[in-house]
Amino acid sequence: MTKLKVAVAISGGGSNLQAIIDACSNPDYPVEITTVISNKADAYGLERARQANIATKVISHKDYPDRESFDADLHQAILDSGAEFVILAGFMRILTDGFINKWHDKMINIHPSMLPKFRGLDTHARAIEAGESHHGATVHYVRAELDTGPLILQCSEEILENDTASELAARVLVKEHQIYPLALRWVAEGKVSIKDNDAYVNEFKGPILLDEAHKIS
């Protein structure tokens, strides 16, 4: 099996990284992580990678005068690892248009809302405040405009009466750990295509809901 070689960029605990690492432990999973890169040396996700014998690298944004020079070294580190695809998993840096264009259709992210609703930060609290009945997360391709890329896969979680943002976030996170490895599998298997800024999984236009993922063969 030819596996898709991916680099994972993180800034924190790396629970979504762990979900992908766990998926990769199955020899039938069509993905290989070549490196985990963090802009923060104390990110626990680096330890998760080390425990899985995955190469790690720290590129601190504080060592660079501007975003362009940071992104240039990030790009080179990804290439040096042999990766051909980029996974953002809690990477809390705004990437430059130049970097994003270099990885056009070769970089995905997971966002904690059912895009296009609630782009940006504090999504769980905003969903509760807006009186939404459901909230969730989305795996999407990365574009220069924040949280606007083609949508691949979403999960939905009911917002309960008197839910707090942290309680809702915890339940959504459980499903994030399901949809990120699954969407990545679809990409690696060549099931995802992009037409007019929409993602299609086989013949189905994205985003696919997790509850309907069984229809993807």
Side-chain angles (χ1 to χ4, degrees):
M1 177 195 304
T2 300
K3 298 196 175 190
L4 179 69
K5 297 182 184 300
V6 307
V8 184
I10 64 168
S11 294
S15 68
N16 273 306
L17 164 66
Q18 187 65 59
I20 295 170
I21 290 173
D22 291 346
C24 289
S25 67
N26 181 340
D28 293 330
Y29 189 70
V31 173
E32 175 188 346
I33 302 173
T34 62
T35 187
V36 172
I37 302 172
S38 177
N39 64 308
K40 296 185 176 181
D42 61 350
Y44 183 68
L46 293 170
E47 179 59 26
R48 295 180 187 272
R50 294 183 191 111
Q51 291 176 5
N53 295 315
I54 298 169
T56 63
K57 188 174 183 66
V58 176
I59 306 176
S60 175
H61 59 279
K62 296 179 180 180
D63 294 339
Y64 295 84
D66 51 45
R67 293 186 185 276
E68 287 76 13
S69 55
F70 171 82
D71 282 5
D73 276 6
L74 176 61
H75 174 70
Q76 191 59 53
I78 293 167
L79 292 179
D80 289 346
S81 77
E84 53 196 320
F85 201 89
V86 180
I87 308 298
L88 304 181
F91 186 63
M92 303 305 290
R93 298 291 299 167
I94 299 297
L95 295 163
T96 59
D97 291 2
F99 180 92
I100 291 170
N101 289 336
K102 288 175 182 175
W103 293 97
H104 185 78
D105 291 353
K106 295 182 179 180
M107 178 163 55
I108 58 175
N109 183 42
I110 189 163
H111 179 74
S113 81
M114 297 185 74
L115 292 172
K117 292 183 176 181
F118 307 113
R119 296 170 181 160
L121 302 174
D122 302 320
T123 61
H124 309 295
R126 288 161 58 200
I128 292 171
E129 291 167 5
E132 296 285 324
S133 63
H134 287 78
H135 185 53
T138 307
V139 181
H140 64 96
Y141 283 91
V142 178
R143 293 292 186 264
E145 186 179 352
L146 189 66
D147 301 330
T148 62
L151 311 179
I152 305 170
L153 180 61
Q154 289 184 332
C155 61
S156 178
E157 178 67 29
E158 183 180 3
I159 298 178
L160 305 177
E161 187 176 358
N162 300 319
D163 245 344
T164 66
S166 60
E167 289 169 343
L168 178 57
R171 296 201 309 278
V172 170
L173 187 62
V174 172
K175 291 185 177 178
E176 287 184 35
H177 297 162
Q178 299 174 52
I179 65 172
Y180 216 175
L182 178 55
L184 182 56
R185 172 188 281 278
W186 289 345
V187 169
E189 291 174 342
K191 293 179 178 177
V192 184
S193 59
I194 298 173
K195 303 172 187 175
D196 300 325
N197 209 44
D198 288 314
Y200 289 79
V201 186
N202 291 343
E203 72 273 26
F204 300 103
K205 183 178 177 180
I208 308 298
L209 286 174
L210 178 60
D211 290 344
E212 300 176 347
H214 59 85
K215 68 186 180 182
I216 308 298
S217 58

